Amino acid sequence: MARISSLLLAIFLVTVAADAQFPQPDGGDLEPGALPAAWTTGGPKCMEVPEWQVHEYNPNLFILRQSGCTDAEMPFLYLFFGKDRGLLWDTGSRRGNLAPALQHVVHDWLERNHRDQITLIVTHSHSHEDHVFGDAAVQGIRDPAINIQFVAPTVKAASAFFGIENWPSTPGQVDLGQRQLNIIPVPGHDDYAIALYDRRTGVLLTGDNLYPGRLYVKDFAMFKASTERLIAFLTGKPVAHILGNHIEQTQTPFKDFPIGSIYHPNEHCLELTVGTLLELEDGLKSMQGAPRRLATRDFTIWPVDPKEHGLGPQMDQIFKETQAEQIPNKWNQPAHR
Ligand SMILES: [Zn+2]
Ligand SMILES: [Zn+2]
């Protein structure tokens, strides 16, 4: 009898272990999603690479990545759907031709959800050209199924739309219909910059402020204050992934791809954690008000001269050399770089 009981106990324990997903601790009720093991970049054969890679994180959150064959920036865009409205984060870089890819995704979502029409809010992480280039094309969409509600990438327009009362100190928000998105002002890389926290998935979008790559800091004091503001906002909130706008790191710790690269074999993953955000805060603090370049495993803090347009002559030269080498080879890139 004792033997049977212990056998039953063993079976019970095995069953529990196989199904050991408890609703606690906090965060267990976040809507899950999946990220790809690797993203398409710009090759090896540009003829085979679509202008936009569409990834379904889950049925109501899509990630679009622009091909490096069209532009070396290769930005990521995010498309959220709620019960009532959708929201697009950024419109891509030069030669993006976003409208057809965007319409395709929205049409498929509508069909899947047995709907005829949706309002799509178009908003931006910040105002730099590699994230707003597709604005005119998106505003020009004439599609009975898609009603574009455009929010200009300015402090004024975003503050009014998201109800940010005191830029940059107080957050704003938007409800897409059973989907609350919090908007946190994070100027410093750009005068207008926001982060977005999705309450449903626990995904945090950080734009160009934090991603695996070169974090260009224009206004150091502002950038540091924004990083601290973002961390304070996240207190007590579960974060599934921190997702930024670019990937410039390789899979080798501390090593980035040369500026201007269109093809990223063995690229760092997109997703970062709150640990990385804390590491960014720590790095900024360690400078004690004297900005300097600081490389970490997954990103580099990269102060730029606020008076300089762009990244300066040295970086421009590297960009030109990389492009001169890679663009002619884009139909058949070498497997490793
Ligand atoms: Zn930027
Ligand atoms: Zn950017």
Side-chain angles (χ1 to χ4, degrees):
M1 196 61 185
R3 187 173 279 190
I4 290 172
S5 300
S6 54
L7 183 65
L8 283 173
L9 180 67
I11 291 169
F12 172 75
L13 287 175
V14 167
T15 311
V16 167
D19 194 24
Q21 185 63 48
F22 294 98
Q24 294 294 323
D26 290 343
D29 58 351
L30 286 177
E31 199 176 275
L35 289 160
W39 295 88
T40 304
T41 64
K45 293 173 186 283
C46 273
M47 195 67 87
E48 298 178 347
V49 178
E51 285 172 319
W52 290 91
Q53 179 184 1
V54 179
H55 175 78
E56 181 175 313
Y57 178 79
N58 72 25
N60 294 304
L61 174 51
F62 297 84
I63 307 175
L64 285 76
R65 195 205 195 164
Q66 186 173 338
S67 156
C69 298
T70 60
D71 189 72
E73 297 289 354
M74 293 184 243
F76 290 86
L77 317 186
Y78 299 87
L79 179 59
F80 297 85
F81 288 100
K83 193 169 67 62
D84 305 321
R85 291 184 288 179
L87 181 139
L88 175 69
W89 173 266
D90 291 345
T91 62
S93 192
R94 294 158 286 267
R95 295 177 292 280
N97 191 28
L98 176 65
L102 176 66
Q103 283 172 284
H104 180 74
V105 181
V106 176
H107 286 170
D108 277 0
W109 186 89
L110 289 169
E111 187 186 338
R112 189 188 212 176
N113 290 277
H114 314 290
R115 292 181 50 160
D116 300 327
Q117 189 270 339
I118 194 162
T119 291
L120 190 63
I121 300 160
V122 177
T123 187
H124 308 80
S125 59
H126 64 295
S127 73
H128 288 164
E129 196 185 37
D130 51 324
H131 307 284
V132 306
F133 199 85
D135 278 8
V138 169
Q139 285 178 285
I141 290 175
R142 298 288 172 264
D143 186 331
I146 307 172
N147 172 36
I148 299 288
Q149 193 171 3
F150 185 80
V151 184
T154 64
V155 169
K156 196 173 166 213
S159 295
F161 186 80
F162 295 116
I164 298 166
E165 284 172 12
N166 188 14
W167 178 278
S169 317
T170 57
Q173 62 175 10
V174 61
D175 187 355
L176 304 180
Q178 293 171 7
R179 182 165 219 149
Q180 284 278 344
L181 305 176
N182 296 115
I183 304 295
I184 307 97
V186 287
H189 167 77
D190 187 9
D191 294 340
Y192 163 72
I194 54 172
L196 180 154
Y197 177 69
D198 174 27
R199 298 230 164 206
R200 239 161 79 174
T201 58
V203 160
L204 175 73
L205 303 186
T206 45
D208 275 10
N209 280 50
L210 177 58
Y211 62 85
R214 299 176 286 267
L215 311 180
Y216 301 119
V217 178
K218 191 174 115 183
D219 185 319
F220 185 83
M222 214 183 240
F223 188 89
K224 183 169 173 284
S226 290
T227 305
E228 286 161 5
R229 186 180 314 109
L230 187 56
I231 290 167
F233 170 83
L234 292 173
T235 306
K237 297 181 182 71
V239 176
H241 299 289
I242 292 181
L243 305 177
N245 278 351
H246 303 276
I247 301 173
E248 290 159 356
Q249 291 298 109
T250 69
Q251 284 173 10
T252 306
F254 295 93
K255 191 171 188 288
D256 57 350
F257 291 99
I259 185 169
S261 298
I262 66 165
Y263 182 43
H264 290 177
N266 302 316
E267 188 184 59
H268 192 292
C269 63
L270 171 65
E271 61 273 26
L272 299 172
T273 67
V274 170
T276 326
L277 180 61
L278 296 175
E279 199 180 1
L280 172 60
E281 183 198 30
D282 205 46
L284 295 166
K285 252 188 203 158
S286 76
M287 296 178 194
Q288 300 183 318
R292 63 183 172 87
R293 199 177 296 175
L294 176 69
T296 74
R297 183 187 183 279
D298 300 307
F299 61 86
T300 302
I301 300 171
W302 200 297
V304 293
D305 185 348
K307 293 185 288 296
E308 197 114 49
H309 180 73
L311 298 171
Q314 196 196 350
M315 295 294 280
D316 285 349
Q317 186 58 31
I318 297 171
F319 178 89
K320 279 193 195 123
E321 284 168 11
T322 309
Q323 294 249 305
E325 186 214 328
Q326 292 190 11
I327 299 285
N329 290 323
K330 72 176 185 174
W331 312 115
N332 204 356
Q333 303 263 2
H336 296 285
R337 293 203 177 277

